[in-house]
């Protein structure tokens, strides 16, 4: 079946317009395929998924949540016999991408905290209000987060993470610990809707409102799991004090909806943090180590950091010595120590800024990624034509002052900053690691050097990125005015 053609036909029927653009959106942890389809004045997200049961669950849950006035994407049209449907386009801004663009260095930005507080309030509504009259039998792949679900997650971790790093353990003792942990988790109150993958990448921001996606794996379960998913969302790297603040805000909001025993909730909370972290590590192993998806590999050190945090508290609450031994081995593992040492730069964007002369060649991207920008500075008046500046360059004070006061140069720099900033914010949000920017002029000496230095200065002040500046012609020490 040509699912792209089927989606195009579905879009035409829904919109009465022919698509102008049909662009695939990169997925992360699923086999579903997403496309942004745009016509003259309409847009939709087209989805293709061969899994009929998962599609049925998603459509049912979306309609159910909409009835409960929860912000989920509208379903425009569907043809489930073909595995396709059209959704409302909520844009590209996730809570995670918003956090990354606002974050400077390692500090958690204050302007993002209200969005997180709103997110935990909405989570409570999904869990408590939306459970009423919800037919859990339609949920996929299980109607509840039951023994089978937990064992799947634990084995996912064992086979795709622990064994991937050659950790020593006794199979039977570990199996016994898995049963102990499962029994403990299942003794918690589980009569709620469990979103299952409630994290910052599944929360969209549109017109300052939060919208929620990717809940097709939701089922009946305990309250603790979803709030743990959000607060221990690996690369969001929420500070421990803020985790506590958001958990308290969540519990206070929950108490407005139902009577809740705080002590009983907290008794199980760390256990659900642990099972969520193990599930995440299993996913990072499978999607990252086996499938080679960089985003998942880059998330490993954050999850290990969270694992250290939770082990200190949870080790005194339950006896699962073989599992704890595995986790302690992982924390001490040299390979993961290397992840930790390099984690500040592992997913850090490197911006390579070059100046060059058009009498030579445009610099080539050494990473092989291609793309980036080439800005032609020759439209700006050339300081090299002025006798006293001939032997100077764009790093010299006199040349900088001249161009600083030139209206054409100011406009050129401002426009460049706007264009480059848009790409940098998108690159950071997507976890991309390399961007190349070239400035060219006649001699590669004055204008191109000036703009390269100015852009580097601006980006260094605004973004937590690595800047590498190379002045091709200056390095050759041969100037052409």
């Amino acid at each position: 079946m040509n699912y792209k053609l089927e989606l195009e036909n579905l879009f035409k029927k829904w919109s009465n317009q022919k698509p102008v653009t049909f662009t695939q959106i990169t997925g992360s942890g699923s086999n579903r395929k997403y496309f942004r389809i745009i016509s003259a004045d309409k847009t939709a997200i087209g989805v293709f998924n061969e899994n009929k049961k998962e599609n049925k669950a998603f459509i049912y849950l979306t309609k159910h949540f909409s009835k409960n006035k929860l912000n989920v994407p509208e379903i425009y049209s569907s043809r489930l016999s073909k595995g396709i449907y059209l959704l409302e386009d909520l844009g590209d801004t996730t809570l995670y991408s918003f956090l990354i663009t606002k974050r400077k260095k390692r500090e958690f930005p204050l302007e993002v905290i209200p969005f997180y507080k709103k997110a935990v309030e909405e989570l409570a509504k999904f869990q408590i209000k939306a459970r009423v009259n919800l037919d859990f039998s339609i949920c996929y792949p299980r109607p509840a987060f039951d023994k089978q679900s937990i064992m799947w997650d634990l084995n996912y971790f064992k086979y795709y993470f622990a064994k991937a790093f050659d950790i020593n353990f006794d199979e039977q003792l570990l199996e016994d610990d898995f049963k102990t942990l499962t029994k403990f988790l299942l003794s918690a109150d589980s009569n709620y809707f469990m979103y299952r993958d409630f994290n910052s990448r599944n929360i969209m921001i549109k017109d300052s409102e939060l919208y929620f996606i990717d809940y097709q794996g939701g089922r009946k379960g305990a309250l603790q799991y979803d709030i743990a998913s959000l607060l221990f969302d690996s690369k969001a790297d929420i500070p421990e004090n803020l985790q506590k603040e958001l958990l308290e805000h969540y519990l206070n909001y929950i108490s407005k909806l139902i009577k809740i025993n705080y002590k009983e909730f907290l008794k199980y909370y760390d256990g659900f943090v642990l099972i969520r972290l193990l599930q995440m590590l299993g996913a990072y192993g499978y999607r990252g180590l086996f499938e080679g998806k960089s985003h998942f590999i880059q998330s490993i050190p954050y999850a290990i950091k969270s694992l250290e945090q939770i082990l200190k508290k949870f080790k005194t609450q339950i006896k699962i010595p073989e599992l704890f031994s595995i986790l302690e081995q992982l924390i001490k593992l040299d390979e993961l120590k290397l992840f930790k040492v390099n984690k500040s730069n592992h997913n850090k964007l490197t911006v390579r800024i070059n100046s060059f002369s058009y009498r030579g060649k445009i610099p080539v991207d050494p990473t092989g990624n291609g793309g980036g920008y080439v800005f032609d500075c020759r439209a700006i008046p050339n300081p090299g034509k002025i006798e006293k500046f001939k032997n100077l360059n764009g790093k010299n004070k006199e040349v900088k002052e001249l161009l600083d006061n030139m209206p054409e140069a100011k406009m050129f720099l401002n426009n460049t900053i706007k264009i480059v900033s848009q790409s940098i914010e998108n690159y950071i949000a997507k976890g991309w690691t390399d961007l190349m920017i070239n400035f060219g002029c006649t001699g590669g000496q004055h204008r191109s050097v000036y703009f390269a230095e100015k852009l580097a200065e601006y980006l260094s002040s605004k973004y937590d990125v690595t800047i590498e500046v190379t002045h091709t012609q200056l390095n050759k020490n041969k100037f052409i005015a």
Side-chain angles (χ1 to χ4, degrees):
M1 182 188 75
N2 188 335
Y3 59 83
K4 290 184 180 179
L5 180 61
E6 294 288 349
L7 278 171
E8 185 175 333
N9 290 335
L10 188 64
F11 182 88
K12 287 178 184 176
K13 187 175 180 181
W14 164 70
S15 66
N16 292 317
Q17 295 177 359
K18 185 178 180 180
V20 175
T21 61
F22 192 103
T23 310
Q24 185 163 2
I25 303 170
T26 305
S28 53
S30 76
N31 294 319
R32 295 181 295 277
K33 292 180 171 59
Y34 295 91
F35 304 87
R36 174 167 283 117
I37 310 172
I38 301 174
S39 65
D41 58 8
K42 290 189 177 181
T43 179
I45 300 298
V47 185
F48 169 68
N49 182 15
E50 291 180 304
N51 192 319
K52 293 181 179 180
K53 289 184 178 179
E54 188 177 57
N55 288 339
K56 181 181 178 182
F58 177 77
I59 298 294
Y60 168 74
L61 289 172
T62 300
K63 291 178 178 179
H64 180 78
F65 295 148
S66 293
K67 288 178 184 176
N68 283 272
K69 302 188 184 310
L70 292 166
N71 284 350
V72 293
E74 182 181 348
I75 299 171
Y76 292 146
S77 183
S78 65
R79 191 172 296 163
L80 296 187
S81 62
K82 301 284 187 179
I84 59 173
Y85 49 91
L86 298 176
L87 297 175
E88 177 184 2
D89 187 349
L90 297 172
D92 295 310
T93 304
T94 64
L95 180 57
Y96 175 71
S97 66
F98 179 64
L99 164 63
I100 293 303
T101 56
K102 295 295 181 183
R103 197 169 208 159
K104 294 181 180 178
K105 306 298 181 184
R106 300 306 308 153
E107 294 179 9
F108 198 93
L110 293 177
E111 62 262 50
V112 179
I113 295 176
F115 287 90
Y116 267 87
K117 288 186 174 180
K118 180 64 176 175
V120 302
E121 293 173 6
E122 294 301 305
L123 169 60
K125 295 176 186 176
F126 275 97
Q127 294 177 312
I128 295 168
K129 289 188 173 182
R131 68 176 172 170
V132 179
N133 297 323
L134 194 155
D135 184 355
F136 286 101
S137 69
I138 299 176
C139 292
Y140 174 84
R142 305 283 295 177
F145 191 63
D146 53 11
K147 179 180 178 180
Q148 183 67 71
S149 299
I150 296 172
M151 291 303 294
W152 278 344
D153 284 354
L154 291 171
N155 283 310
Y156 197 36
F157 161 75
K158 179 174 77 171
Y159 289 111
Y160 288 109
F161 201 83
K163 289 202 170 188
F165 286 101
D166 244 353
I167 297 298
N168 293 317
F169 59 88
D170 184 297
E171 289 274 3
Q172 186 56 58
L173 293 177
L174 181 61
E175 190 69 20
D176 293 342
D177 284 355
F178 281 176
K179 290 176 181 177
T180 300
L181 179 58
T182 300
K183 183 179 180 181
F184 172 77
L185 295 174
L186 291 178
S187 63
D189 181 6
S190 301
N191 193 32
Y192 305 95
F193 175 73
M194 194 179 89
Y195 197 108
R196 177 61 169 167
D197 204 12
F198 195 81
N199 64 62
S200 60
R201 288 175 185 79
N202 290 335
I203 301 173
M204 309 299 296
I205 301 177
K206 181 181 179 183
D207 300 327
S208 297
E209 287 287 326
L210 298 184
Y211 289 80
F212 301 86
I213 60 172
D214 280 4
Y215 37 75
Q216 54 274 335
R219 63 199 79 169
K220 184 182 285 189
L223 294 171
Q224 291 91 336
Y225 187 94
D226 289 329
I227 187 66
S229 299
L230 181 68
L231 300 186
F232 286 84
D233 182 5
S234 292
K235 284 172 69 179
D237 199 20
I238 302 175
E240 192 170 356
N241 63 328
L242 182 55
Q243 288 176 338
K244 292 177 181 177
E245 180 183 340
L246 291 170
L247 179 60
E248 184 177 355
H249 185 80
Y250 168 77
L251 290 171
N252 288 338
Y253 192 84
I254 286 278
S255 67
K256 298 176 183 178
L257 304 178
I258 57 170
K259 186 177 181 180
I260 184 169
N261 185 323
Y262 282 60
K263 186 176 180 180
E264 186 74 5
F265 178 95
L266 294 173
K267 172 185 173 182
Y268 294 101
Y269 178 66
D270 291 338
F272 279 98
V273 172
L274 178 61
I275 187 66
R276 176 59 178 176
L277 288 173
L278 296 181
Q279 187 275 334
M280 284 163 38
L281 287 171
Y284 299 160
Y286 180 66
R287 300 292 183 182
L289 302 175
F290 285 85
E291 293 189 339
K293 295 181 178 179
S294 62
H295 155 67
F296 293 94
I297 295 172
Q298 293 156 7
S299 298
I300 290 174
Y302 297 94
I304 294 298
K305 174 186 171 185
S306 296
L307 203 55
E308 286 186 272
Q309 177 185 329
I310 205 66
L311 275 183
K312 292 175 184 177
K313 297 192 294 180
F314 194 54
K315 279 189 73 173
T316 61
Q317 297 179 40
I318 188 172
K319 291 184 178 180
I320 43 176
E322 194 67 11
L323 179 55
F324 285 147
S325 171
I326 290 172
L327 302 182
E328 286 167 349
Q329 287 179 68
L330 284 170
I331 289 168
K332 296 173 184 176
L333 197 64
D334 286 342
E335 290 176 71
L336 294 181
K337 282 182 181 178
L338 288 175
F339 275 133
K340 286 183 175 185
V341 169
N342 296 326
K343 75 177 182 177
S344 60
N345 291 320
H346 191 65
N347 190 36
K348 199 171 185 179
L349 175 63
T350 296
V351 183
R352 293 175 175 84
I353 305 175
N354 303 293
S355 66
F356 71 96
S357 166
Y358 274 103
R359 301 285 179 88
K361 294 180 179 179
I362 299 174
V364 176
D365 183 358
T367 68
N369 289 329
Y373 297 97
V374 179
F375 293 104
D376 187 347
C377 310
R378 290 175 295 184
I380 309 302
N382 186 359
K385 295 295 183 182
I386 302 173
E387 187 63 33
K388 65 179 180 178
F389 294 143
K390 271 191 176 180
N391 293 320
L392 300 179
N393 62 64
K395 297 172 75 172
N396 292 122
K397 181 181 177 182
E398 298 89 338
V399 176
K400 289 197 290 185
E401 286 179 350
L402 174 69
L403 290 168
D404 281 344
N405 293 306
M406 194 179 290
E408 302 98 314
K410 286 182 181 179
M411 182 182 296
F412 186 90
L413 178 62
N414 288 336
N415 289 336
T416 300
I417 285 173
K418 287 178 184 177
I419 293 170
V420 171
S421 293
Q422 182 180 359
S423 285
I424 283 181
E425 289 168 10
N426 278 314
Y427 272 44
I428 290 172
K430 292 175 179 176
W432 294 358
T433 54
D434 297 279
L435 175 63
M436 190 169 187
I437 301 163
N438 296 313
F439 289 96
C441 63
T442 306
Q445 176 185 349
H446 298 97
R447 295 161 294 182
S448 59
V449 171
Y450 168 82
F451 287 115
E453 290 288 328
K454 278 289 187 179
L455 181 65
E457 181 183 330
Y458 174 82
L459 297 181
S460 296
S461 69
K462 185 169 182 183
Y463 300 107
D464 182 20
V465 296
T466 300
I467 306 290
E468 296 180 4
V469 181
T470 302
H471 298 300
T472 309
Q473 202 63 36
L474 296 193
N475 292 342
K476 292 179 179 178
N477 199 28
K478 183 181 179 181
F479 305 144
I480 307 169

